[in-house]
Amino acid sequence: MLFRCAQYALLTCLLLLVPTGVPVLAQAGTGAVQGVVLSRGDGAAVTSAEVRRVGSTMRVRTDDQGRFVITARVGDTLHVRVLGFRERRVPVVNTDAGSILRVMLEPLATVLPVFTTTMGQRVIRASDSPRSVTVLDRKEIDAVAAVSANQLLRQLPGLQELPAPPSKTSISIRGFDDSRVLVLVDGEPVAGSLIESRDIGRLSTIATERIEVTKGPSSVEFGSDALGGVINIVQAAPTKALTVDGLLRQGGLGREEATLGMSQTVGRVGYRLNGGWRQSDRVTGYNAAGSTFNRIFDLRSDVRVALSERWTARLDVQGSQERQRFPLDANFNGFIDNRGAQGFAEVQGPAMGGRLRARAFQQRFVYQYRQSRELLPIRGSADSLEQQERQGRYLLAYSKAAGQHVFDAGVQHSRRTLIAPTKVDGDSAKENITEVFARDSWTVGPVLLTAGARHTSSTLWGSSTNPSVGLAWQTTSALRLRGNVARGFRAPGFKEIRYTFFNPAGGYEIIGNAELRPESSVSGSVGGTWAPSTSASLDVELYRNDVKDLVDWSFRGNNAAGFQQYANVNVAEARTQGLETNARILVLGTELTAGYDFLRARNLLTGLPLTRRASHTARLRVSRSFNLLRGLLGDLSVRYTGGAPLIGIPSGAPITGPFSTEQGVVGQQGALLSMDAQWRLQLTSRAELSLGGNNLLGQRPALWTPAFDRQLFVGLHVRWSGSE
């Protein structure tokens, strides 16, 4: 299989070297019209647009910078078209050497006017993908006063916030959560995944430009863990003028936040530096006050350099430190301290008629658990030995626009190490992963076809090959249909293969299994977007995911000490299917967005529903601005999550307590109707005052652990820019 995959990658690379009909700019001769095609919405380059001289067979395609050269005379007309944009005819008025014809295309309302990250860390327009992608921009982050990623993501229909004991929260996408949803920052994995310490609530929105949510298996683009989907937090680029940005916010439940950032571009160098601190007296899974506490410090830096006219470099470094405190029982508190740092260096530029990208990524993460009867941990208490993870990833990717095709190919190598004294044989475990991938995007008139595959080989668990195919059809300017079939996988982790977990209080032990196979899924989706105007749209999608070889616990008997012993085995199968809808309308200065999702998620082995997965979720958001002082903006969001069954968890202890092998439905999580609102008043051109509240209805449904009491807050945002 590896040999066949290597043959495919080699064939793709050879195809990339085939000469195309896109000439370079440097040698434009007499009658050669040089031009560039850009999007009117954001001014970004439009790749692979067809430029045809009307009345002839002469046609060329734009390159990755949106540029083209075509032979024409003054008075000729050029016809420019590309999927996702309105066609345009442009007269030729100048053929002098050095003149550039700028063609601005209007994006169609049926596609998002935003960008999303795909394989090889390449950024493409949402119109160039047949996948279901939701992009949340900075405007939406500010509208809900989201300081952490979970506060924003739980607003979306189809996404559900789920507790992960003892003090974490995860986001479920189409029924799959935790390790089956890949979470990235600028395309790189967040720290903590190797020791299963994933926590969406830990991820800050500081300096975030947008959050991309890709639904369904995405292993061709991103590799392992993308069974349910991918969440990618994208940092904002440095500003052109010197900009200083600060935020202070305080509210109920001990909510305190502060951020400060500075950004500027000087000559060829742009930089951004941001820091922040946030805390509250609530931890996910606990509604009680007193000993509960959570505090996080974040630091992010980004430097981007224009090495030449077309070659760029980037250095991104970030770090965080977190402390969580939560009650274990009437006498003891548990403490979790996390410290993480990661960064990457990247260069990209033109090569062999396409674009080459090289990236090196490094990550370190330290986890420590301790206990105390007081409000500070005691050294050496409980399981105080630090667990560490180290990860390095090295990427070489190549993309090329060739006529109607856009090719992507590359290779990625990862080296991962887990250090867990007394829990792993030899106190540590290592893994080397090599991945090769290739994909072709082919545009035929109003139709976009994509096909690709990724082969992953690991020294820890073996190998897996995953293909995907997709189609998007722009039937009219107001209707776009799409479909996608993909295979995804999740590799068994260090804990599942090599880790031994012993809980004397619960009376059980879980041991690793070196024979585990990767979990795999096959997913299909079909949907469409109808947008009769720029102020109204409706999106509908049907989907189905079938997953097999899910890793689950299996009872192996009692060990020598009399404790129950369980092993991780590939025993479970699951299916999730459903319907997602989203509608948007802008009327009389008010923007209304409404969404509804129906989900059916079941364990095919037992016939039981998946725990805590609500069948019905809905959201309504209303946003409107008013002429008061320099501007008043109001945002109201109403979110409904239906009731959901709890499977195999004692109803008296939904998060903590003794280990349970109880089968069947053991409880019912109540339905939640949550209302969040915020008013933002522009006091001056540089200062904004905000007042808002979360869970204004004060609902706390039965067994719903992520729901806290009603919380009010007030904030002050100050921003100064040298361009003003």
Side-chain angles (χ1 to χ4, degrees):
M1 180 61 72
L2 178 60
F3 178 73
R4 291 199 300 271
C5 190
Q7 284 182 315
Y8 181 78
L10 178 61
L11 177 61
T12 303
C13 291
L14 291 175
L15 287 173
L16 297 180
L17 301 180
V18 175
T20 72
V22 183
V24 296
L25 296 179
Q27 302 297 325
T30 303
V33 177
Q34 304 181 54
V36 59
V37 180
L38 306 173
S39 169
R40 186 178 300 278
D42 48 40
V46 177
T47 302
S48 197
E50 180 189 85
V51 182
R52 180 177 62 86
R53 194 180 74 196
V54 176
S56 75
T57 59
M58 174 69 67
R59 67 187 65 199
V60 297
R61 292 266 177 177
T62 59
D63 64 10
D64 63 307
Q65 301 295 305
R67 299 181 296 183
F68 68 91
V69 177
I70 189 170
T71 301
R73 300 185 302 270
V74 173
D76 283 345
T77 299
L78 301 182
H79 180 230
V80 184
R81 68 175 185 175
V82 64
L83 197 62
F85 292 83
R86 296 189 184 279
E87 299 180 11
R88 187 178 176 190
R89 292 174 177 257
V90 182
V92 177
V93 297
N94 193 346
T95 59
D96 295 341
S99 64
I100 303 294
L101 176 63
R102 292 171 60 88
V103 181
M104 307 299 292
L105 296 184
E106 189 73 31
L108 293 177
T110 53
V111 294
L112 296 172
V114 294
F115 297 87
T116 184
T117 305
T118 185
M119 66 166 38
Q121 305 297 351
R122 189 165 72 92
V123 177
I124 65 172
R125 294 181 181 275
S127 59
D128 295 330
S129 172
R131 305 299 303 274
S132 175
V133 180
T134 301
V135 179
L136 305 170
D137 58 17
R138 189 71 227 182
K139 177 183 176 182
E140 294 189 75
I141 296 174
D142 293 336
V144 297
V147 69
S148 59
N150 66 308
Q151 295 177 3
L152 180 64
L153 294 170
R154 67 190 180 196
Q155 302 283 337
L156 298 179
L159 275 66
Q160 297 183 36
E161 186 178 20
L162 301 176
S167 57
K168 299 180 295 180
T169 182
S170 68
I171 294 294
S172 165
I173 299 180
R174 293 183 172 175
F176 297 105
D177 72 321
D178 205 32
S179 62
R180 297 171 183 91
V181 171
L182 182 61
V183 183
L184 309 168
V185 176
D186 281 322
E188 301 296 347
V190 299
S193 60
L194 300 190
I195 57 176
E196 307 299 330
S197 182
R198 297 172 174 89
D199 185 5
I200 297 291
R202 182 192 308 149
L203 302 180
S204 171
T205 59
I206 292 176
T208 297
E209 176 186 87
R210 66 183 188 271
I211 299 180
E212 306 164 349
V213 180
T214 303
K215 300 177 181 178
S218 305
S219 292
V220 170
E221 293 82 4
F222 300 102
S224 178
D225 297 357
L227 283 182
V230 178
I231 297 170
N232 185 30
I233 301 174
V234 181
Q235 306 305 296
T239 57
K240 293 184 178 180
L242 176 61
T243 303
V244 179
D245 191 285
L247 171 68
L248 293 173
R249 188 180 288 130
Q250 188 166 12
L253 309 180
R255 180 174 181 174
E256 296 182 9
E257 304 158 25
T259 65
L260 181 63
M262 183 169 64
S263 178
Q264 185 182 21
T265 298
V266 181
R268 293 177 175 266
V269 180
Y271 70 89
R272 178 184 289 276
L273 180 63
N274 294 85
W277 155 75
R278 51 196 163 105
Q279 73 176 41
S280 67
D281 61 10
R282 293 293 189 276
V283 173
T284 299
Y286 296 88
N287 286 318
S291 60
T292 308
F293 177 75
N294 189 44
R295 180 179 61 209
I296 304 176
F297 294 95
D298 293 289
L299 181 65
R300 291 181 173 173
S301 63
D302 185 6
V303 178
R304 308 189 189 192
V305 183
L307 301 175
S308 65
E309 182 181 350
R310 301 185 67 184
W311 279 89
T312 61
R314 180 179 176 186
L315 177 64
D316 185 287
V317 178
Q318 56 185 278
S320 66
Q321 180 172 312
E322 177 185 31
R323 164 159 292 178
Q324 296 176 321
R325 183 176 69 232
F326 48 90
L328 297 174
D329 52 37
N331 298 314
F332 282 90
N333 291 320
F335 296 83
I336 293 178
D337 288 296
N338 296 310
R339 302 190 304 276
Q342 64 186 60
F344 64 83
E346 176 187 273
V347 294
Q348 61 173 307
M352 298 180 292
R355 193 161 190 85
L356 186 69
R357 180 191 304 268
R359 175 182 285 198
F361 167 79
Q362 290 289 324
Q363 182 184 85
R364 298 290 186 272
F365 183 76
V366 178
Y367 167 94
Q368 186 178 35
Y369 172 73
R370 291 173 290 180
Q371 294 179 358
S372 171
R373 291 179 181 270
E374 305 299 332
L375 299 182
L376 293 174
I378 298 175
R379 174 182 291 184
S381 62
D383 183 15
S384 60
L385 295 176
E386 289 185 347
Q387 298 181 47
Q388 302 179 35
E389 66 175 46
R390 302 172 183 173
Q391 184 170 190
R393 300 210 314 177
Y394 311 93
L395 169 72
L396 184 63
Y398 183 76
S399 61
K400 180 182 178 68
Q404 295 172 291
H405 298 266
V406 177
F407 296 101
D408 289 283
V411 59
Q412 183 168 269
H413 181 73
S414 303
R415 298 168 56 187
R416 313 200 304 179
T417 301
L418 171 66
I419 301 174
T422 74
K423 295 181 176 60
V424 173
D425 292 341
D427 292 341
S428 67
K430 296 183 178 181
E431 178 184 24
N432 288 299
I433 302 173
T434 301
E435 300 173 273
V436 292
F437 56 84
R439 186 181 64 179
D440 177 26
S441 298
W442 182 22
T443 303
V444 184
V447 176
L448 171 70
L449 298 170
T450 65
R454 177 184 292 255
H455 179 80
T456 305
S457 178
S458 164
T459 58
L460 188 65
W461 49 263
S463 62
S464 178
T465 301
N466 298 274
S468 74
V469 293
L471 179 146
W473 179 22
Q474 190 74 48
T475 62
T476 68
S477 61
L479 180 63
R480 185 176 195 257
L481 304 178
R482 63 181 183 270
N484 192 79
V485 177
R487 186 178 186 272
F489 81 105
R490 184 190 77 91
F494 281 113
K495 276 192 170 184
E496 294 164 328
I497 293 178
R498 299 283 302 275
Y499 202 86
T500 298
F501 178 75
F502 178 52
N503 185 347
Y508 67 94
E509 177 185 48
I510 301 177
I511 60 176
N513 181 1
E515 303 300 320
L516 286 176
R517 302 180 303 275
E519 301 176 347
S520 64
S521 70
V522 176
S523 170
S525 63
V526 59
T529 302
W530 177 59
S533 70
T534 57
S535 59
S537 66
L538 173 65
D539 187 270
V540 179
E541 180 158 301
L542 289 165
Y543 64 88
R544 172 170 163 170
N545 300 321
D546 286 279
V547 187
K548 65 178 183 178
D549 290 332
L550 286 169
V551 176
D552 204 348
W553 301 334
S554 177
F555 181 60
R556 292 297 181 87
N558 293 339
N559 61 17
F563 292 100
Q564 292 178 329
Q565 188 176 76
Y566 295 81
N568 295 307
V569 293
N570 295 102
V571 294
E573 296 184 9
R575 174 180 297 155
T576 71
Q577 53 191 348
L579 168 71
E580 294 177 353
T581 65
N582 192 68
R584 172 187 169 273
I585 186 169
L586 180 63
V587 56
L588 300 176
T590 301
E591 182 178 10
L592 294 95
T593 304
Y596 167 76
D597 175 68
F598 171 77
L599 170 68
R600 180 178 172 83
R602 302 193 72 80
N603 183 323
L604 299 182
L605 186 67
T606 64
L608 295 171
L610 297 184
T611 188
R612 293 185 183 272
R613 271 59 170 190
S615 296
H616 306 279
T617 58
R619 179 205 182 195
L620 172 66
R621 181 186 167 212
V622 181
S623 179
R624 181 177 175 83
S625 59
F626 301 88
N627 293 323
L628 180 64
L629 294 182
R630 291 179 175 264
L632 175 65
L633 182 63
D635 289 283
L636 173 67
S637 179
V638 180
R639 175 169 45 101
Y640 173 78
T641 303
L646 271 66
I647 308 299
I649 303 173
S651 59
I655 298 301
T656 61
F659 182 76
S660 171
T661 59
E662 189 175 351
Q663 296 295 316
V665 178
V666 297
Q668 186 73 16
Q669 177 179 281
L672 171 66
L673 180 64
S674 176
M675 179 183 295
D676 303 331
Q678 183 182 202
W679 292 97
R680 288 177 289 159
L681 178 63
Q682 198 71 36
L683 300 176
T684 70
S685 60
R686 299 174 180 173
E688 178 186 78
L689 178 67
S690 61
L691 176 66
N694 296 320
N695 194 18
L696 292 176
L697 300 179
Q699 288 204 351
R700 292 175 58 179
L703 305 182
W704 185 288
T705 55
F708 300 148
D709 290 326
R710 180 186 298 107
Q711 181 190 65
L712 302 179
F713 61 84
V714 61
L716 178 64
H717 182 198
V718 178
R719 187 178 187 274
W720 177 87
S721 175
S723 62
E724 297 178 353

